[in-house]
Amino acid sequence: MGDDRAESDEGIGRAIVASAPNAIVVLDRDQAVLAWNPAAERLFGWPAEEMLGRRPPLVPGELTAEHNAVLERVRTGGQVSLRTKRFRRDGSLLDVRLDTSALRSETGALLGYTSVYHLVQDDESAQERAVRRARLVRRLTDVVADINAERELPAVLDRIAASLTELTGADAGGFVLIEGDRLRLVASHRLPESLRDSTAHMRTSLVGKLLRTGRTVMLETGDQGRLDELVWSQLPGLHTIALGLAMAGGRPYGALYALFAKHKAGYVELELLELLAGHAGIAVGNAMAYQEAVRQRAHQRAVFDASADGIAVLDGRGRVIQWNPAAAELTGFAAVDVVGGPPPFELPGPGDKLTLQLPSGTWLDVLSAEIVETGEMVVDFRDVTGAKELEEAKDLFLATTSHELRTPITVVQGFAGTLAARWDGMTDQERRSAVHIIAERARSLGKLMDNLLLGSRAGAGEMPLKIEGIDLGRLVRAATLGLPDLSDVHRVEVNVPENLPPVSGDAIATDIVLGQLLENAFKYSPDGGLIRVEAWTDGDWVVVVVDDEGVGITPTSRERIFDRFVQGDSGDRRRFGGVGLGLYIVRSLARAQGGEVSAHPRPGGGTRMRLALRIADTPTALT
């Protein structure tokens, strides 16, 4: 076992000597060659078989004394290193660095001498490389600082590609981004611009090959044809590609390609490529994170600015630091008026909701939430004025409907009870009068229920109409027939031309609209006055207006009166009765026919209601 190990160690020793990059010459005590490695063959020109067992003819005559002194010095102990000259086989002199030491047995007996030779110019080249490496590392530090100063990803990538050729001496370079199972060339230097955004499969690429090796840097050499399979490596004379992975946090973002056609890549270049690739991965990761942060901020700002809700952000001291456009619109306070101070309304506690009314009359639902990490507060508020008004209108509707139903029902119940209890004691005239009153009240109840049903259908968009050509003038004249006899305090004027063109609509629905407009004219002019009905053509439309000299409508109510459960604001909302559905039904019926109804002030006081229906393309249905 011991002999086998000794033989193994001896074989390893011989292998080390044989593979050494420097020339090794071993002499015995008589200065005959015991070992002459391949590097010595290359350096001096003599093959080993010619040198073994003889004195090597290396030492010039004038340096014999120096040679003997060196051997004597190492024989007595120590090691000598000096610069000297030695012959080559062709007679030329080599300027070499010589390191000589004694070869001894395990007991310390002198067996010979070991000399290691290498060219002095190699030392100088090594020094030059060291100086160059130090210079390039300093330059790399500056480059990394420049790259990290950039925030936009395209600028970062272009800076990396340009720095790659500067630091490695490559003839061209590029950066490829890893996107799933593909690569994309996102930046290049000294390569055709047309190659930008070229893609390749990861599996068949050099990046894929490098990832499979588990290393971070790789040299690929070969003929032009094979290397040109990489579309972004199209460089005349290309012979070597140096590749470095750009990683951050253990994740590969991409890779740097250094392409060599006229120059060569050494270990210093590979080292710098690896260092630059590492910094590039961090820079790319930072730039992508910055871009994502910018994108998120832009998204948040767009949501913040476009929100229909008012949004305010308060600092830890309750001062407004952000105030979106909707907040300005809802409150009437511009951002410059509130930023730096408290919000112009009371705030609920975090997570609570508060409903409040501004001095302008606007109702707001206000919610707040605390940002625990920053101590800031986000306040969200929305206009609920319409909902509050609808809520009030519904409450009023319930009260009004109860009142409107209770009055006729009470009368019907009273007269029915009277008839039942006193039938025999009543005259025929009294009985007929009571029955007449019961019938009138029943008709009122029926009309109220019809309006409620129409209002329900209009709200659900369920207005079954038959649209055809109708004679609007005839309907107006029929609706106004007999009106002068209904009131002693009103005068009625009707001005409807005989030649009005037919309109597109539903006869029954239009009759309901006209009836409601006329009823309102009487209802909202309790002190009497003139009621004028006129009609005329206006382009593609036929217009009917109903004027009265009544209480009129305030500007703020001209649209609201067409909402459900809303009546004209006359100061006494119960003065005229009704449930506030009439004009809502009118507008719904008009629009269902393709027309429109609107309210306007009448010159001199009162109201003008305007109905417009489009002139029909079909024959008139009414005769």
Side-chain angles (χ1 to χ4, degrees):
M1 178 70 80
D3 293 340
D4 291 342
R5 182 169 183 178
E7 289 179 4
S8 176
D9 291 345
E10 185 178 348
I12 293 173
R14 285 196 299 269
I16 292 173
V17 172
S19 61
N22 295 323
I24 298 177
V25 177
V26 181
L27 306 178
D28 62 14
R29 286 183 298 178
D30 296 327
Q31 300 185 38
V33 175
L34 293 175
W36 185 273
N37 75 343
E41 292 181 341
R42 293 191 297 272
L43 180 63
F44 298 118
W46 283 284
E49 56 266 23
E50 291 185 17
M51 289 293 101
L52 292 175
R54 56 173 290 197
R55 284 196 173 195
L58 300 177
V59 182
E62 67 272 18
L63 297 178
T64 302
E66 177 192 80
H67 174 65
N68 292 333
V70 168
L71 296 183
E72 180 61 22
R73 176 69 184 87
V74 300
R75 185 184 65 79
T76 57
Q79 180 177 333
V80 175
S81 179
L82 76 161
R83 179 174 174 175
T84 186
K85 294 184 181 296
R86 291 292 184 265
F87 279 121
R88 275 183 58 84
R89 186 175 186 178
D90 59 9
S92 61
L93 283 174
L94 299 174
D95 194 2
V96 297
R97 170 69 61 182
L98 170 63
D99 297 308
T100 304
S101 58
L103 179 66
R104 298 182 183 277
S105 66
E106 292 182 358
T107 60
L110 180 66
L111 301 177
Y113 310 93
T114 300
S115 297
V116 179
Y117 299 87
H118 59 272
L119 293 173
V120 169
Q121 68 184 40
D122 290 343
D123 284 345
E124 294 173 348
S125 297
Q127 292 175 357
E128 291 175 0
R129 286 194 297 272
V131 171
R132 178 171 174 268
R133 180 186 181 281
R135 185 175 66 252
L136 289 174
V137 168
R138 287 195 298 272
R139 180 58 187 143
L140 174 64
T141 302
D142 295 337
V143 166
V144 169
D146 291 343
I147 292 173
N148 288 330
E150 296 286 355
R151 288 292 180 266
E152 298 297 330
L153 183 59
V156 169
L157 297 175
D158 288 341
R159 188 71 183 89
I160 290 171
S163 303
L164 172 64
T165 56
E166 175 188 352
L167 292 171
T168 64
D171 298 286
F175 185 89
V176 293
L177 204 61
I178 297 175
E179 298 177 336
D181 60 351
R182 297 193 68 82
L183 302 174
R184 181 166 61 90
L185 182 66
V186 292
S188 63
H189 188 64
R190 298 176 186 165
L191 284 175
E193 184 64 24
S194 59
L195 295 180
R196 188 182 291 266
D197 290 325
S198 299
T199 61
H201 287 286
M202 169 78 80
R203 183 177 55 83
T204 57
S205 70
L206 289 182
V207 177
K209 180 178 179 180
L210 178 56
L211 286 172
R212 288 190 291 272
T213 66
R215 303 195 303 270
T216 58
V217 68
M218 180 177 73
L219 269 180
E220 185 78 1
T221 59
D223 60 89
Q224 175 83 40
R226 187 170 66 83
L227 294 179
D228 273 352
E229 292 177 1
L230 299 166
V231 293
W232 45 77
S233 303
Q234 296 173 13
L235 188 68
L238 177 67
H239 58 75
T240 302
I241 297 177
L243 184 68
L245 279 181
M247 303 183 69
R251 173 195 168 192
Y253 274 100
L256 286 172
Y257 277 84
L259 312 178
F260 295 87
K262 300 176 182 178
H263 302 86
K264 293 183 179 180
Y267 75 90
V268 173
E269 287 73 21
L270 281 179
E271 178 188 13
L272 288 170
L273 173 64
E274 186 171 17
L275 291 173
L276 179 60
H279 287 291
I282 296 172
V284 170
N286 290 341
M288 293 177 73
Y290 174 76
Q291 281 197 334
E292 178 62 19
V294 170
R295 189 195 67 79
Q296 289 184 357
R297 282 198 297 270
H299 175 74
Q300 292 169 357
R301 171 54 62 181
V303 172
F304 183 80
D305 289 344
S307 174
D309 284 6
I311 301 176
V313 180
L314 315 182
D315 63 16
R317 299 172 61 182
R319 298 173 301 187
V320 176
I321 56 177
Q322 292 189 60
W323 187 258
N324 76 338
E329 183 178 352
L330 290 174
T331 64
F333 291 94
V336 294
D337 298 327
V338 295
V339 170
F345 48 75
E346 183 183 354
L347 296 180
D352 295 333
K353 183 177 80 170
L354 176 66
T355 301
L356 52 85
Q357 188 176 28
L358 299 177
S360 63
T362 300
W363 284 91
L364 298 178
D365 267 356
V366 185
L367 299 95
S368 66
E370 184 180 6
I371 305 175
V372 178
E373 293 79 5
T374 63
E376 297 172 331
M377 183 80 71
V378 176
V379 181
D380 181 281
F381 47 97
R382 64 183 56 182
D383 186 351
V384 293
T385 304
K388 289 288 290 185
E389 291 179 345
L390 181 60
E391 182 180 345
E392 291 179 359
K394 287 181 177 179
D395 291 342
L396 179 61
F397 166 72
L398 292 175
T400 301
T401 304
S402 299
H403 178 274
E404 293 292 325
L405 289 172
R406 185 181 300 112
T407 300
I409 289 174
T410 300
V411 172
V412 169
Q413 286 177 334
F415 277 94
T418 299
L419 288 173
R422 298 177 51 205
W423 179 268
D424 293 332
M426 298 175 66
T427 65
D428 288 343
Q429 180 61 35
E430 288 174 335
R431 286 194 291 267
R432 280 194 295 270
S433 177
V435 170
H436 177 73
I437 292 172
I438 291 173
E440 285 297 320
R441 294 302 180 176
R443 279 194 295 272
S444 297
L445 282 172
K447 184 175 181 181
L448 176 60
M449 298 310 297
D450 288 341
N451 280 346
L452 291 174
L453 180 60
L454 277 173
S456 173
R457 289 180 175 177
E462 300 173 354
M463 303 290 286
L465 302 179
K466 181 181 180 182
I467 305 300
E468 56 188 356
I470 60 175
D471 187 343
L472 182 58
R474 181 175 180 275
L475 289 176
V476 172
R477 285 187 288 270
T480 56
L481 186 65
L483 285 182
D485 300 329
L486 294 180
S487 172
D488 296 331
V489 295
H490 292 89
R491 292 181 294 110
V492 179
E493 291 183 4
V494 180
N495 183 12
V496 178
E498 294 291 339
N499 60 346
L500 280 179
V503 297
S504 179
D506 180 277
I508 297 176
T510 303
D511 189 58
I512 293 174
V513 170
L514 293 171
Q516 185 66 56
L517 294 181
L518 292 168
E519 179 181 330
N520 280 3
F522 281 88
K523 178 178 178 180
Y524 289 102
S525 56
D527 297 329
L530 176 64
I531 294 176
R532 177 183 288 112
V533 181
E534 294 184 86
W536 63 83
T537 58
D538 184 3
D540 295 334
W541 301 83
V542 172
V543 177
V544 177
V545 297
V546 178
D547 291 343
D548 66 59
E549 296 178 340
V551 297
I553 303 174
T554 62
T556 57
S557 297
R558 288 175 194 160
E559 281 300 312
R560 291 184 60 250
I561 60 173
F562 293 103
D563 293 338
R564 282 188 291 184
F565 318 134
V566 175
Q567 292 179 312
D569 188 2
S570 62
D572 180 5
R573 301 183 71 175
R574 291 276 18 98
R575 177 182 176 189
F576 300 105
V579 293
L581 283 173
L583 289 180
Y584 172 76
I585 294 170
V586 162
R587 174 165 279 183
S588 298
L589 288 172
R591 289 181 174 177
Q593 299 175 84
E596 185 58 86
V597 170
S598 54
H600 308 271
R602 175 186 173 276
T607 302
R608 164 169 285 190
M609 301 300 297
R610 183 180 187 275
L611 166 66
L613 294 175
R614 190 176 295 277
I615 295 175
D617 296 327
T618 58
T620 304
L622 297 177
T623 59

